[in-house]
Amino acid sequence: MEKGNVLKTPINIDELLNGGTEFQIDTEFNEHEGDEYFLDDEYGSPDEDEEKYKQLQSPWERTFAELRQEMEFVSEHIYKRIMKAGVGEKIPDKTRVVIEYNAFFEQEQKPFDSTTLRDKPERFVVGNNNVLMGIEEAVRTMRVSEEAQFLIGYQLLYGEIGCPPRVKPKADVLFVIRLISATPVSDGEALSKLNETERRSYEMVKDKVVEIRQYARDCFKRNLIPNAIVKYLEAVNTLQMCHLKNEAEQAEQQQTLIALYTSLAVCYNRRDQPKDACRMVNELRQLCNVNKNAKILYQEGKALMSLGEYDRSRKCLLRAQQLEPRDDIVQQALKELNECSAKHQREEKQIWARAFGMVANKKEEMSKEETTLVENMKQSMKLFLEDDGSNTLPLPDGLSDKEVSILDELASELNLKLNVYVANNKKHYKLQK
């Protein structure tokens, strides 16, 4: 919500001042919730659909005047009834909240506004005036996980005019709100504000790193992964430059670096950058025994699976399973790995069968030397295809026209290019991916 909602069509001011106008808000926002360090998936309860259905029905059928009699007075224009108690303290300013709500007009059973129907929770920072004043004031009274009903007066919502025809003039609204989460808004520039002397002091840096981590975690939750990566790396680089006074500071710094590198591995996997994720795991190997950390092994296993290194991936995930035998996410990753590996083997078998089946058909026409060359090239081409660090494969000199023709057909079957170049009046050939 920090960026605000975008109007799909401009508001006509003349219409607004003369009876009202109709407009639409584009609420599209690509978000993906996930644990910063380990498990990327969320699972709904078996009754989730039923609960959504219940929420889409107004909880009150009589007049709002009667409802106020059964609710707690909050302010002149807000009344409240708690349906499920929350935990923690009430929400202060500069807190980023995530809520779900359904909004009902008086004696109407279906919501006119609903995050449930949009299938996207509402996110905003309390105190930034990003939402209707009535919603913000209601959320200030809540605690995390609380579910409550609020009867909010039109004075804090759409005003005397309303937004015809969707919202009538002077329309009070019944909101059913659930507060999903609340996190402090951290300063993403906390480290950059330190001078050079302060950046060398671990005592000065460590508290700022806490803020940067919170900021990066918040970016991650809002799917701003590149922003999160930049901030995690900034925290890593600053920590590594600090002067440490004693072993206690060194141990604390090491634990923080472990958390930061693990977070970076998660981010790189989410960005489909598995090589960078593996690079973070290699950094972690300098700091801890990764074979005793299921979270790190899980991330490395995911990265290696993306790189097609199925045997190494399996070792990582099986070790993670040993450490966390009841974790469903690791089980799911192993299942996905087995499916990917089996599919890869089938496809590889088909490719090589097509490519070298052609050579078998031509063996009667080939000399012994030509057959030996092709068999050797089979192995060389297979190794070349499996080598991610190599893009060209030079071929032997002195190839006959028939050998060049056969190798050209093999290259085509394997999606390789056979290139020729002339040097010292001689033709030279090489394969390119």
Side-chain angles (χ1 to χ4, degrees):
M1 284 293 297
E2 286 182 297
K3 295 182 180 180
N5 289 325
V6 179
L7 295 176
K8 291 185 176 179
T9 57
I11 293 177
N12 188 309
I13 300 299
D14 290 335
E15 292 180 2
L16 181 63
L17 296 176
N18 294 281
T21 185
E22 184 174 2
F23 60 89
Q24 289 181 303
I25 294 176
D26 184 358
T27 58
E28 287 301 317
F29 186 71
N30 182 23
E31 297 173 304
H32 187 124
E33 291 290 343
D35 186 288
E36 176 194 6
Y37 298 116
F38 188 22
L39 307 179
D40 297 274
D41 303 282
E42 290 187 346
Y43 300 95
S45 69
D47 299 326
E48 184 177 1
D49 291 338
E50 182 181 352
E51 290 302 316
K52 286 185 177 181
Y53 170 78
K54 290 178 181 178
Q55 291 173 6
L56 288 174
Q57 303 297 315
S58 175
W60 187 258
E61 296 181 354
R62 302 197 296 275
T63 66
F64 281 175
E66 293 175 283
L67 177 58
R68 285 189 183 90
Q69 302 302 314
E70 300 190 14
M71 303 182 92
E72 176 187 352
F73 175 86
V74 175
S75 67
E76 181 183 1
H77 304 300
I78 300 179
Y79 289 78
K80 176 180 180 180
R81 178 162 61 179
I82 296 176
M83 310 307 295
K84 177 185 174 183
V87 295
E89 302 298 323
K90 293 182 180 180
I91 306 302
D93 280 349
K94 300 304 177 185
T95 301
R96 189 183 308 283
V97 297
V98 181
I99 65 171
E100 289 182 344
Y101 69 82
N102 291 284
F104 305 88
F105 291 128
E106 188 169 18
Q107 293 185 315
E108 291 188 8
Q109 290 302 301
K110 295 182 179 180
F112 74 94
D113 188 14
S114 168
T115 60
T116 306
L117 290 176
R118 290 198 296 272
D119 199 25
K120 289 182 183 293
E122 187 79 13
R123 300 169 183 269
F124 63 93
V125 175
V126 175
N128 280 13
N129 300 318
N130 295 137
V131 295
L132 293 169
M133 186 184 301
I135 295 179
E136 185 167 287
E137 291 302 316
V139 169
R140 287 180 193 273
T141 71
M142 301 183 72
R143 293 172 169 83
V144 174
S145 297
E146 179 180 318
E147 297 179 14
Q149 299 170 3
F150 293 91
L151 187 52
I152 304 177
Y154 68 88
Q155 297 89 341
L156 301 182
L157 297 173
Y158 304 97
E160 293 190 5
I161 297 177
C163 291
R166 185 165 177 248
V167 180
K168 298 177 182 179
K170 296 185 177 181
D172 297 341
V173 177
L174 171 59
F175 281 88
V176 180
I177 302 177
R178 180 167 72 97
L179 179 54
I180 300 172
S181 66
T183 55
V185 176
S186 301
D187 184 2
E189 303 303 321
L191 286 173
S192 62
K193 293 177 181 177
L194 298 177
N195 60 41
E196 285 303 311
T197 301
E198 292 170 334
R199 292 173 74 87
R200 294 294 186 272
S201 167
Y202 178 75
E203 192 66 30
M204 291 291 297
V205 164
K206 67 177 184 178
D207 291 335
K208 303 301 181 183
V209 167
V210 171
E211 288 193 53
I212 291 295
R213 286 180 64 190
Q214 179 59 50
Y215 180 84
R217 188 181 297 115
D218 187 53
C219 290
F220 178 88
K221 289 183 177 181
R222 291 186 289 139
N223 206 33
L224 303 175
I225 311 299
N227 302 45
I229 290 173
V230 168
K231 291 304 173 181
Y232 281 133
L233 288 174
E234 181 184 4
V236 166
N237 294 333
T238 305
L239 275 177
Q240 291 177 332
M241 293 170 60
C242 290
H243 298 308
L244 304 173
K245 294 180 180 179
N246 49 49
E247 291 184 0
E249 285 192 349
Q250 182 178 5
E252 189 176 7
Q253 179 218 41
Q254 180 172 322
Q255 289 305 309
T256 305
L257 285 172
I258 290 171
L260 288 167
Y261 278 123
T262 306
S263 299
L264 281 163
V266 174
C267 290
Y268 283 127
N269 271 331
R270 180 66 63 81
R271 289 279 293 172
D272 196 22
Q273 297 176 234
K275 289 184 179 179
D276 289 317
C278 288
R279 185 163 53 85
M280 296 302 101
V281 175
N282 287 335
E283 294 288 347
L284 285 161
R285 285 194 168 88
Q286 309 301 316
L287 298 168
C288 65
N289 184 353
V290 300
N291 289 323
K292 294 184 178 181
N293 191 311
K295 299 177 180 181
I296 299 173
L297 289 166
Y298 170 74
Q299 294 301 328
E300 185 175 31
K302 285 181 63 178
L304 292 170
M305 190 194 312
S306 296
L307 291 170
E309 298 190 31
Y310 300 122
D311 290 340
R312 291 179 61 196
S313 174
R314 183 172 286 104
K315 289 180 182 178
C316 292
L317 293 175
L318 287 174
R319 177 57 182 159
Q321 185 184 48
Q322 289 177 352
L323 297 171
E324 298 286 347
R326 296 184 179 180
D327 197 285
D328 293 338
I329 305 300
V330 176
Q331 302 282 1
Q332 183 62 33
L334 280 166
K335 181 180 178 181
E336 181 184 353
L337 172 64
N338 291 333
E339 291 172 353
C340 289
S341 178
K343 181 180 178 182
H344 174 75
Q345 290 176 357
R346 290 194 302 270
E347 290 176 347
E348 184 180 55
K349 186 175 181 180
Q350 291 171 358
I351 289 172
W352 290 105
R354 286 198 308 269
F356 297 127
M358 169 196 57
V359 175
N361 294 334
K362 292 191 174 185
K363 276 189 176 181
E364 294 181 0
E365 306 172 10
M366 294 166 58
S367 66
K368 184 177 179 180
E369 292 77 8
E370 290 170 339
T371 302
T372 301
L373 171 69
V374 170
E375 291 300 326
N376 290 337
M377 284 306 303
K378 284 183 187 180
Q379 300 303 318
S380 298
M381 293 170 85
K382 186 170 183 178
L383 292 173
F384 173 57
L385 285 168
E386 294 173 351
D387 184 0
D388 292 334
S390 178
N391 291 318
T392 60
L393 174 65
L395 298 180
D397 291 334
L399 295 174
S400 67
D401 291 340
K402 183 189 291 186
E403 289 169 339
V404 171
S405 175
I406 292 172
L407 292 176
D408 187 32
E409 291 186 47
L410 280 173
S412 296
E413 285 289 332
L414 299 171
N415 293 320
L416 300 173
K417 293 181 180 180
L418 179 63
N419 292 334
V420 60
Y421 62 97
V422 178
N424 298 323
N425 295 321
K426 292 180 62 178
K427 289 183 177 180
H428 302 275
Y429 298 90
K430 62 181 178 180
L431 292 172
Q432 285 189 311
K433 292 180 180 177

